[in-house]
Amino acid sequence: MNNMFSAYLTHILIIVVIYIILALSLNLALGFTGLINLGHVAFFGLGAYTSALLNMAGVPFILSMLGGGMVASFFGFLLTKITKKLKGDYLAMATLGFSFVLYSIFLNWTNLTHGPMGIPGIPKPKFFGLAIHDNFTFLIFVIIIACLIYLILKKITNSPYGKLLEGVRDDALGLSALGKNVAKLKSQSLMLSAFFAGIAGSLFAHYISYIDPSTFYLTDLIVIFTITIVGGLGSLKGSIWAGIIIIILPELLRFIDLPSSIIGTMRQMIYAVILIIILLLKPRGLFGRIDLE
Amino acid sequence: MLKIINLKKSFGGVQAVKNANFKIPAQKITALIGPNGAGKTTIFDMISGFSRPDSGKIIYQEKNLTKLEPYKIANLGIGRTFQQVRLFKNLTIKDHLIMTKNNEDTKILKNIFKRQKNDGAHQKTLDKFGIKKTLGTLVSDLSYGQRKLLQIALALEKPHQLLLLDEPVAGVNSVIQNEIENILLNLKKQGETMLLIDHDMNFVRKLADWVIALDAGQVIVEGTPQQVLSDQRILEAYLGQ
């Protein structure tokens, strides 16, 4: 029983860490730069598919993972080119459309993605002669990657460059009057954000060993957004705490004797209730510095 | 220094600027006056690149600005302030000063590992502009007048040859108005080139070397402050006589 519980806990913690990476990366674009990017889940999927396909074609894991990040980042670049003149709700709608397009590609490009059948048998990470077979070692590995990503994002957001990203969020027009290339800053921010989401996708694919398009759909986007907003826009620390709360809280439902069909619905309800409570009581989220506008 | 040639701009059916023509001489302060809706801010927006003219040219130091992006125009040396203050409400005064003085901050790697010093220099800037706040103060905690002062400070601290000031003293109390006036009078002595919009005619009279009056998107009269402000056409434009 103890072994089962510890295996379950390890699994949940791995998922928590992967979602923390997703929320941290979304926070860079949404919280720090003010880009309402509803395409984040597509970057997650791109990273997962790219890394899985590369690794299964014989490319070493580390390169596959970086490849996943880079492909997601490239699509982030394309997205900023397409949506260059959009902001606010219009940008949100366009990026949501991007999520649907990518979902359709995952679903219909069957030669590459196997469509709804998904890709099974994705190998566990192996690098520098070290193979990660058990979940506990995988947990340590994802924690190391998450810490690295956190430190990079912390360094970026505290630097003068990070302040420029915040300038884009607060007043893009005022920033361009100071001679700053706002379009370039938006593009860089979204590319960086997509890169880390792609890395999260890679970690997810190599952990679960199976991916299919349904993993990268709106339900996941809602979870990632909930974590980011509950933690607070512009707060990396907030994304970490909210990641722990939002992923673990619905898990408590498992210990209540309810049919699984109800638990699934209640999970979504819990996200909605937490989001509404937070928005009412703490409109800036747990650690947020800026208002949700 | 700056030539406006046959400039036109319409918004829907409204012609905001109709064939405007004028020149801004170097090392002089030129005031752009006119009633609300005369097209003053639209002209500022076209000079800064925030709005594209329908036709006509804006020539600055032999370069046509009409198709340039705003950040490129700013980096050519045209500084600007806005009627409604445009600052970054979640950033500190220091963050603003750093981004104004550092023109390489869009280079990610260079900036991530760069150590920020210069607090002394930033403090001097605050003292120079009479902003009695610490560098770590959030801009959202400043009064409207202090924000106006900071906006002017930022425009001046960024390397520039021409300054566009859109109603620099509008909405501020008399103490801040005097401070802004003194700053601008000092700049005048130093030979700064400025184009300013203001409705306060005493302020314009004190500061401007040359006045261009607009009405309904057209230049109706230009000359020295004494000539323009006593012109019957100005009274007609303002009072609708």
Side-chain angles (χ1 to χ4, degrees):
Chain A
M1 184 67 186
N2 267 351
N3 276 348
M4 260 179 72
F5 183 73
S6 98
Y8 166 70
L9 195 65
T10 309
H11 164 74
I12 293 300
L13 289 177
I14 290 170
I15 298 298
V16 164
V17 178
I18 289 173
Y19 274 89
I20 285 174
I21 297 174
L22 284 167
L24 287 171
S25 54
L26 179 65
N27 218 335
L28 182 72
L30 178 70
F32 287 92
T33 322
L35 304 171
I36 309 175
N37 169 28
L38 301 180
H40 206 63
V41 74
F43 299 136
F44 180 41
L46 278 166
Y49 272 99
T50 307
S51 183
L53 291 168
L54 285 175
N55 197 221
M56 289 169 87
V59 177
F61 168 73
I62 292 288
L63 291 180
S64 302
M65 183 172 73
L66 291 174
M70 282 159 80
V71 168
S73 187
F74 174 71
F75 274 82
F77 170 75
L78 289 183
L79 188 60
T80 52
K81 287 287 156 202
I82 298 164
T83 59
K84 194 178 172 185
K85 293 192 173 170
L86 302 179
K87 58 183 177 180
D89 299 345
Y90 297 101
L91 178 67
M93 284 300 110
T95 51
L96 184 63
F98 172 76
S99 280
F100 286 128
V101 169
L102 260 291
Y103 174 76
S104 292
I105 292 173
F106 297 150
L107 197 64
N108 294 306
W109 194 355
T110 44
N111 288 342
L112 188 71
T113 65
H114 302 179
M117 303 300 289
I119 302 174
I122 302 164
K124 292 284 181 193
K126 203 196 290 179
F127 50 90
F128 309 129
L130 192 83
I132 299 177
H133 286 301
D134 66 293
N135 284 358
F136 186 74
T137 319
F138 198 96
L139 175 63
I140 304 292
F141 176 63
V142 287
I143 288 174
I144 291 169
I145 299 281
C147 287
L148 216 59
I149 290 173
Y150 172 80
L151 290 175
I152 293 170
L153 290 175
K154 187 93 186 145
K155 195 81 185 154
I156 290 173
T157 52
N158 283 342
S159 71
Y161 177 80
K163 301 301 168 193
L164 284 186
L165 297 183
E166 294 201 54
V168 173
R169 176 198 64 211
D170 286 356
D171 193 335
L173 200 129
L175 193 66
S176 56
L178 290 177
K180 312 299 177 190
N181 186 344
V182 170
K184 184 177 163 188
L185 288 164
K186 282 183 182 176
S187 176
Q188 288 173 340
S189 170
L190 202 67
M191 285 171 73
L192 276 168
S193 168
F195 177 81
F196 294 125
I199 297 288
S202 165
L203 293 171
F204 180 81
H206 290 275
Y207 169 62
I208 299 286
S209 305
Y210 169 80
I211 50 170
D212 73 301
S214 67
T215 320
F216 311 105
Y217 200 54
L218 285 183
T219 39
D220 269 83
L221 183 63
I222 291 166
V223 179
I224 304 164
F225 257 76
T226 309
I227 296 171
T228 313
I229 292 168
V230 168
L233 296 180
S235 166
L236 298 176
K237 186 172 73 176
S239 292
I240 295 173
W241 282 108
I244 296 167
I245 296 165
I246 300 288
I247 300 295
I248 291 181
L249 209 60
E251 288 301 318
L252 299 176
L253 290 173
R254 289 187 197 276
F255 302 99
I256 305 168
D257 200 14
L258 286 171
S260 59
S261 57
I262 294 179
I263 287 179
T265 319
M266 280 190 73
R267 189 184 288 258
Q268 298 302 319
M269 277 173 64
I270 283 184
Y271 294 140
V273 170
I274 294 173
L275 199 56
I276 290 167
I277 292 173
I278 287 288
L279 290 179
L280 285 174
L281 299 179
K282 278 182 84 76
R284 291 182 166 193
L286 296 175
F287 298 96
R289 295 182 298 110
I290 57 162
D291 291 321
L292 196 65
E293 287 174 358
Chain B
M1 180 175 257
L2 183 86
K3 282 184 229 165
I4 303 290
I5 305 164
N6 300 330
L7 207 60
K8 287 182 189 168
K9 179 74 187 174
S10 295
F11 297 104
V14 180
Q15 211 173 357
V17 178
K18 297 174 198 165
N19 221 25
N21 285 284
F22 59 85
K23 284 180 191 171
I24 307 298
Q27 298 187 317
K28 299 277 178 209
I29 297 186
T30 307
L32 204 55
I33 65 164
N36 288 331
K40 307 179 296 291
T41 299
T42 306
I43 289 179
F44 261 37
D45 284 347
M46 287 191 279
I47 297 172
S48 326
F50 296 128
S51 175
R52 292 246 185 279
D54 297 336
S55 63
K57 282 181 187 172
I58 300 164
I59 306 292
Y60 168 72
Q61 294 179 335
E62 311 308 320
K63 280 189 193 80
N64 188 356
L65 304 182
T66 42
K67 284 183 182 155
L68 286 186
E69 289 169 274
Y71 80 94
K72 286 184 182 161
I73 294 174
N75 289 334
L76 282 175
I78 300 185
R80 155 130 203 216
T81 69
F82 296 85
Q83 193 177 336
Q84 294 297 323
V85 181
R86 303 198 82 112
L87 296 171
F88 316 108
K89 62 182 177 182
N90 296 295
L91 298 185
T92 63
I93 294 175
K94 186 180 168 183
D95 294 331
H96 281 75
L97 291 170
I98 289 174
M99 68 169 68
T100 303
K101 292 178 180 178
N102 180 2
N103 222 13
E104 292 204 310
D105 43 10
T106 51
K107 293 175 182 165
I108 306 178
L109 289 176
K110 201 166 183 177
N111 276 282
I112 290 174
F113 298 106
K114 196 175 182 179
R115 279 195 173 276
Q116 288 302 318
K117 296 176 228 163
N118 250 348
D119 268 12
H122 297 319
Q123 190 57 53
K124 271 185 195 164
T125 306
L126 283 196
D127 297 341
K128 193 166 91 185
F129 289 92
I131 304 168
K132 294 170 187 72
K133 289 282 178 181
T134 59
L135 287 167
T137 308
L138 279 177
V139 158
S140 53
D141 294 335
L142 295 179
S143 70
Y144 183 70
Q146 286 170 325
R147 274 186 258 165
K148 275 258 181 188
L149 274 171
L150 180 61
Q151 188 178 232
I152 293 172
L154 297 180
L156 287 167
E157 287 299 305
K158 182 171 168 55
H160 63 274
Q161 278 91 50
L162 168 65
L163 269 183
L164 308 176
L165 305 175
D166 195 348
E167 301 199 29
V169 292
V172 299
N173 63 40
S174 56
V175 178
I176 302 259
Q177 178 161 356
N178 282 339
E179 277 184 47
I180 294 175
E181 241 177 66
N182 289 335
I183 291 166
L184 298 181
L185 283 168
N186 273 334
L187 291 172
K188 183 178 176 169
K189 281 182 205 153
Q190 290 162 22
E192 282 268 359
T193 309
M194 281 187 251
L195 175 62
L196 70 91
I197 294 175
D198 218 285
H199 288 291
D200 183 337
M201 293 308 153
N202 283 329
F203 178 71
V204 169
R205 208 187 297 269
K206 270 190 227 168
L207 210 64
D209 299 297
W210 194 251
V211 177
I212 298 165
L214 290 174
D215 187 29
Q218 280 176 315
V219 176
I220 51 169
V221 57
E222 61 178 298
T224 61
Q226 286 75 16
Q227 287 167 345
V228 173
L229 298 178
S230 58
D231 194 294
Q232 186 60 26
R233 285 169 289 181
I234 297 296
L235 285 176
E236 282 168 11
Y238 273 96
L239 302 175
Q241 287 172 349

